[in-house]
Amino acid sequence: MVHAELTTEESGILQALTDQFGDAITGHEKFADQFSIFVERAIIFELARFMKEEETTGFDLLSDICGVDWIKQPERRFEIVYNFYSIKKNLRVLIRTTIPDSDKPSIRSIEPVYSGADWMEREVYDMLGVEFEGHPDLRRILTPDGFEGWPHRKDFPLTYEAPRFSYNKDNPPEIIK
Amino acid sequence: MTTAAKTMTLNMGPQHPATHGVLRVVLELDGETVLSATPYVGYLHTGIEKNAEDKLYYKALPMTDRMDYLAPMSNNLGYVLTVEKLLGIEVPEKVKFARVLLTELTRLNSHLVWLGTHALDIGAMSMLLYTFREREMILGVYEAVSGQRMMSTYFRVGGLAWDLPLDFDERVKEILKVFPVKMHEYEDLLSNNRIWIKRLTDVGNLTAQEATDLSLTGPLLRSTGVKYDVRKARPYSGYEKFDFDIPVGKNGDCYDRYLVRMEEMRQSLRIVKQALDGMPEGPYKAHAPGVVLPPKKDVLSQMEALIFHFKIITEGFKVPAGSYYHPIESPKGELGYYIVSDGSTKPYRMRVRPPSLINLKALNTMVTGRLIADVITCIGSIDIVLGEVDR
């Protein structure tokens, strides 16, 4: 892995975030031309607002939200990667945070700040089972009604028997193990 | 007076010819006015991201074609560039030029299908026949390079599958000769057509602020006047060497999106011409033992090459641990691959940022308060491919 130096703009962003949030910024990484900042999950909503509205940051486009399941590390099992992009500065920053394993993993929704986050969060919820608190309409998006299980978790087997589709919501399809 | 008694819920799709696939939209109507539109997606969900986690890196590649099946080369390009970045491989100049040329032809292919189907939805039936006639030439190029007309899978990690065919130059020159004339014909039929203008102007308006808030990219964002194109913002595969412009619109309505895409097709032709003229000689794949298959003549004569060939096919190649997000400008918008590697021969996680899915979110904003006939126009002008929306 190639570790490169931070550019002036990138260290400026890191400095602004550290000034604002202090210890909640837990580290950063530069791989090739990709700049990531690791943060505590508690601040994610405030951070999204700061990223969008402050003059020093100005990330107007939320490019993507994605979830990774690190099943072998229960204390940081679900990694959520927020991909912020600033059109004006032409700068991309990945904000990465982790959620420990539990029955009901959850994180604050940033939908009130970036409305584009709506479907991205629904997809992470659908695939990984991470709940987004404060999301106005948290439903499954890609899997059929009544689907059980979280497909992108590593303990979800790749070869279930195909679910039987039904148009009857009250009598949802049964997944045969 | 309460409006609650008068509203009607209308289910549009999933089997509706104008939804471009299996998209279901639930419309809340007051007379003919749309109060809200809620898209329901997922009918084509096949779990491509999950499947990729169980496949060797080179075996996950053909699945990417099946997402946006109108732009297979763009999908391949995003994937191979991300894996190459994780591996730290630099590909020869010829590969870069060939990739740029073919992905720009892909943009033409995708935009032609968009133009034909969009016009068909609105009632200009003959456009579809004309655009599909010209699209044949591009599919002919796909067939010549890869043997397949749609699911080409011509790019490989570290280069191309094999060298460009002998009649490649001739075929591309033919496209460069025919297309500018045909583009004029399309614009003669549409640009000043009164029905076309009435159906598209001031329909589905978006402001720049709305577009960026909704994370829109591609022609949808550029039609609102925001000049963001990944090819210029963060050039990949040698795009910095080509001379082209980024067309932007002003009003952010369906007509501006039409103009932006038409101009993009012209710019693509410019890039194709430059890539063909400047195509360097050289190898069609990188020299990276253990990752890229060695040339066949070495496999037949050298022990080491034979071993590498055998090991790559049976075991795959290892990718150093790390994660990388690589965006490219696909015909629909910013197509990004986020690949996490744990140092093994299979991707630990492959996330695709699907431009179609994220752009489709804008439908509600575009059609609220407009007539039901405009819903069809707006779906057409977002330019979705349901294979990519659902993956």
Side-chain angles (χ1 to χ4, degrees), chain B residues 49-222:
Chain B
E49 290 178 12
K50 176 81 175 174
N51 261 318
E53 292 172 9
D54 201 50
K55 296 217 184 310
L56 300 176
Y57 276 95
Y58 71 90
K59 285 187 180 174
L61 176 61
M63 285 195 303
T64 61
D65 295 70
R66 272 84 184 160
M67 292 189 306
D68 184 352
Y69 44 79
L70 297 176
M73 298 271 192
S74 299
N75 295 336
N76 290 166
L77 184 68
Y79 179 80
V80 296
L81 286 175
T82 318
V83 179
E84 278 164 12
K85 199 83 185 187
L86 281 165
L87 282 162
I89 293 181
E90 189 65 32
V91 295
E93 280 297 293
K94 182 181 178 175
V95 176
K96 289 185 180 172
F97 273 67
R99 282 177 177 175
V100 166
L101 197 158
L102 285 163
T103 39
E104 289 307 320
L105 286 183
T106 303
R107 191 179 314 279
L108 280 172
N109 175 9
S110 172
H111 282 3
L112 280 177
V113 176
W114 159 79
L115 182 63
T117 51
H118 188 34
L120 178 70
D121 289 345
I122 290 170
M125 174 127 193
S126 43
M127 281 308 295
L128 184 79
L129 305 172
Y130 296 143
T131 56
F132 272 60
R133 180 184 64 195
E134 269 72 75
R135 181 176 175 243
E136 254 339 85
M137 299 170 74
I138 295 171
L139 295 185
V141 173
Y142 284 5
E143 195 176 0
V145 296
S146 71
Q148 285 276 14
R149 286 160 57 81
M150 276 183 80
M151 307 302 163
S152 45
T153 324
Y154 179 56
F155 303 154
R156 292 286 190 276
V157 175
L160 306 171
W162 40 73
D163 214 342
L164 294 168
L166 291 174
D167 62 347
F168 183 73
D169 284 20
E170 210 177 301
R171 280 174 183 274
V172 178
K173 273 182 189 149
E174 184 66 20
I175 290 177
L176 286 171
K177 201 175 85 188
V178 170
F179 261 71
V181 185
K182 300 293 180 192
M183 295 276 301
H184 270 295
E185 287 182 12
Y186 304 153
E187 289 184 330
D188 274 353
L189 279 169
L190 294 177
S191 289
N192 297 317
N193 183 326
R194 278 176 62 187
I195 306 173
W196 183 255
I197 292 173
K198 280 236 158 171
R199 289 296 304 274
L200 263 65
T201 315
D202 279 332
V203 171
N205 288 43
L206 288 172
T207 62
Q209 184 64 39
E210 280 170 343
T212 46
D213 272 0
L214 285 164
S215 306
L216 306 185
T217 45
L220 221 56
L221 176 64
R222 287 194 286 275

Side-chain angles (χ1 to χ4, degrees), chain B residues 80-384:
Chain B
V80 296
L81 286 175
T82 318
V83 179
E84 278 164 12
K85 199 83 185 187
L86 281 165
L87 282 162
I89 293 181
E90 189 65 32
V91 295
E93 280 297 293
K94 182 181 178 175
V95 176
K96 289 185 180 172
F97 273 67
R99 282 177 177 175
V100 166
L101 197 158
L102 285 163
T103 39
E104 289 307 320
L105 286 183
T106 303
R107 191 179 314 279
L108 280 172
N109 175 9
S110 172
H111 282 3
L112 280 177
V113 176
W114 159 79
L115 182 63
T117 51
H118 188 34
L120 178 70
D121 289 345
I122 290 170
M125 174 127 193
S126 43
M127 281 308 295
L128 184 79
L129 305 172
Y130 296 143
T131 56
F132 272 60
R133 180 184 64 195
E134 269 72 75
R135 181 176 175 243
E136 254 339 85
M137 299 170 74
I138 295 171
L139 295 185
V141 173
Y142 284 5
E143 195 176 0
V145 296
S146 71
Q148 285 276 14
R149 286 160 57 81
M150 276 183 80
M151 307 302 163
S152 45
T153 324
Y154 179 56
F155 303 154
R156 292 286 190 276
V157 175
L160 306 171
W162 40 73
D163 214 342
L164 294 168
L166 291 174
D167 62 347
F168 183 73
D169 284 20
E170 210 177 301
R171 280 174 183 274
V172 178
K173 273 182 189 149
E174 184 66 20
I175 290 177
L176 286 171
K177 201 175 85 188
V178 170
F179 261 71
V181 185
K182 300 293 180 192
M183 295 276 301
H184 270 295
E185 287 182 12
Y186 304 153
E187 289 184 330
D188 274 353
L189 279 169
L190 294 177
S191 289
N192 297 317
N193 183 326
R194 278 176 62 187
I195 306 173
W196 183 255
I197 292 173
K198 280 236 158 171
R199 289 296 304 274
L200 263 65
T201 315
D202 279 332
V203 171
N205 288 43
L206 288 172
T207 62
Q209 184 64 39
E210 280 170 343
T212 46
D213 272 0
L214 285 164
S215 306
L216 306 185
T217 45
L220 221 56
L221 176 64
R222 287 194 286 275
S223 73
T224 64
V226 180
K227 206 169 184 174
Y228 170 54
D229 186 311
V230 187
R231 290 175 294 173
K232 285 276 190 203
R234 186 182 170 287
Y236 53 89
S237 193
Y239 264 108
E240 66 277 6
K241 297 191 192 77
F242 297 95
D243 183 25
F244 62 100
D245 300 321
I246 308 294
V248 288
K250 233 186 271 170
N251 308 324
D253 59 358
C254 290
Y255 194 74
D256 271 20
R257 269 164 236 146
Y258 158 74
L259 292 180
V260 164
R261 287 203 178 95
M262 291 306 268
E263 185 54 33
E264 266 183 23
M265 284 162 75
R266 291 228 161 76
Q267 298 299 330
S268 288
L269 285 172
R270 260 178 87 188
I271 301 174
V272 168
K273 184 162 192 316
Q274 292 170 44
L276 188 71
D277 292 346
M279 182 82 73
E281 289 295 312
Y284 63 90
K285 54 188 172 187
H287 178 71
V291 176
V292 179
L293 290 176
K296 194 69 184 169
K297 75 173 200 317
D298 290 357
V299 175
L300 295 173
S301 59
Q302 293 172 15
M303 179 70 138
E304 203 181 23
L306 179 68
I307 293 170
F308 273 135
H309 185 98
F310 184 72
K311 289 203 96 161
I312 293 171
I313 295 293
T314 53
E315 289 176 3
F317 49 83
K318 286 197 169 115
V319 173
S323 60
Y324 193 72
Y325 177 84
H326 197 307
I328 69 159
E329 186 70 27
S330 95
K332 314 283 186 296
E334 179 191 317
L335 170 73
Y337 281 82
Y338 180 72
I339 294 182
V340 181
S341 170
D342 60 348
S344 71
T345 54
K346 295 170 183 172
Y348 186 79
R349 172 87 167 92
M350 179 178 99
R351 157 74 179 167
V352 184
R353 180 206 190 272
S356 292
L357 175 74
I358 293 163
N359 290 352
L360 183 59
K361 173 82 171 39
L363 182 67
N364 190 23
T365 319
M366 284 158 84
V367 302
T368 305
R370 303 212 52 100
L371 297 181
I372 189 167
D374 294 337
V375 178
I376 303 291
T377 317
C378 289
I379 293 176
S381 91
I382 297 175
D383 188 18
I384 48 166

Side-chain angles (χ1 to χ4, degrees), chain B residues 37-51:
Chain B
T38 319
Y40 285 78
V41 297
Y43 291 91
L44 279 181
H45 181 61
T46 47
I48 285 176
E49 290 178 12
K50 176 81 175 174
N51 261 318

